Amino acid sequence: MNVALAVLAFPPALALGSFLNVVAARLPQGRSLVHPPSACLSCGTRVAWYDNIPVLSYALLRGRCRTCGTRIGARYVVVELLTALLVAGCFLAFGLSGEAFVAAFFVAVLVALSAIDAEHRILPDKVVLPATVVVLAAQVALMPDRTPEWVLGALGASLFLFVALLAYPKGMGMGDVKLCLLLGAMLGKTVVVALMVGMIAALVPAVFLLARHGAAARKMGIPFGPFLALGAVIALFWGEALLDAYVGRF
């Protein structure tokens, strides 16, 4: 049953991923998400409907504009596929339930924020804060007995990263601190897993830059949002098992 749900969710999730590309491209610039219609950033030609089919059109056009031949960034197809896989994974893991819909909303927001942070080095409040309110309200409505967990998870994770920000201001920004509100509201106690995984994952490019550029690497910024999002996805699907395994060692 859950497999069938995941398969059914995949095509509309691809379309959602296409919309998230519009969000990632336009929202940081303060542009409308509706008007004008999608067009090539190089020649300005409007993208026809048959060239705007998620993943398929990109593959058929070999990642280039039909009119001018300018290469289309791989980010577009990556966002579409990630969104579809993660949303389908939510229905595979949680079935046809309110939890699955909240999780799908959560991962879609994470994909959009990761794309924005990777390109613009910002995590917009106009996405993070409303999403936090929506997720927290949904979690409280679905599982009211765990309300303290959602609230404390949000505040605790945000406070933890805020302290880290004070200790090392160059390592992250207030956008990352606010993102932790969203993570904690969704994950509750397993937000601990998200933070640990995110920080460990962020060490990989940091060590690489340090080895390649030496002391100059300290001035090179690495967007932390995508790593927090990676940790959050792992915590969403496997957080309970990982946390239990870790605690069980003591």
Side-chain angles (χ1 to χ4, degrees):
M1 177 64 177
N2 286 8
V3 173
L5 284 172
V7 172
L8 288 173
F10 193 84
L14 280 175
L16 174 60
S18 182
F19 173 71
L20 294 182
N21 272 318
V22 175
V23 173
R26 297 188 182 189
L27 190 142
Q29 301 173 0
R31 298 166 57 199
S32 169
L33 302 182
V34 181
H35 298 290
S38 297
C40 174
L41 296 177
S42 180
C43 67
T45 301
R46 180 175 175 178
V47 179
W49 69 266
Y50 48 79
D51 287 337
N52 211 19
I53 302 172
V55 180
L56 180 61
S57 293
Y58 186 92
L60 292 175
L61 293 171
R62 297 182 180 180
R64 295 185 180 275
C65 171
R66 181 184 294 275
T67 303
C68 67
T70 299
R71 180 165 292 282
I72 302 170
R75 185 256 290 171
Y76 291 92
V77 71
V78 169
V79 166
E80 290 168 353
L81 282 173
L82 267 180
T83 304
L85 289 171
L86 290 174
V87 169
C90 290
F91 287 96
L92 181 63
F94 306 116
L96 186 60
S97 64
E99 186 178 3
F101 283 98
V102 176
F105 173 79
F106 177 66
V107 296
V109 171
L110 291 182
V111 171
L113 289 172
S114 296
I116 293 172
D117 198 24
E119 186 169 345
H120 300 280
R121 301 294 194 274
I122 59 171
L123 292 165
D125 287 352
K126 61 179 66 177
V127 175
V128 176
L129 298 182
T132 300
V133 173
V134 169
V135 166
L136 183 58
Q139 291 288 71
V140 170
L142 289 171
M143 291 169 276
D145 55 309
R146 296 176 64 182
T147 297
E149 180 182 343
W150 312 131
V151 175
L152 291 175
L155 297 177
S158 185
L159 179 61
F160 174 81
L161 218 64
F162 181 68
V163 172
L165 172 64
L166 294 178
Y168 185 56
K170 293 183 179 179
M172 62 195 74
M174 278 303 297
D176 301 309
V177 174
K178 295 171 187 175
L179 176 58
C180 282
L181 287 171
L182 172 61
L183 269 54
M186 181 69 206
L187 301 172
K189 64 183 180 181
T190 59
V191 74
V192 174
V193 175
L195 293 174
M196 289 197 321
V197 172
M199 289 182 172
I200 292 171
L203 284 176
V204 176
V207 170
F208 173 79
L209 289 175
L210 188 62
R212 184 171 183 178
H213 301 284
R218 296 179 181 178
K219 299 181 180 179
M220 299 177 182
I222 299 174
F224 192 35
F227 297 103
L228 286 174
L230 171 63
V233 168
I234 291 175
L236 177 67
F237 293 115
W238 303 287
E240 293 281 356
L242 290 172
L243 190 59
D244 289 344
Y246 179 77
V247 173
R249 296 176 62 90
F250 299 95

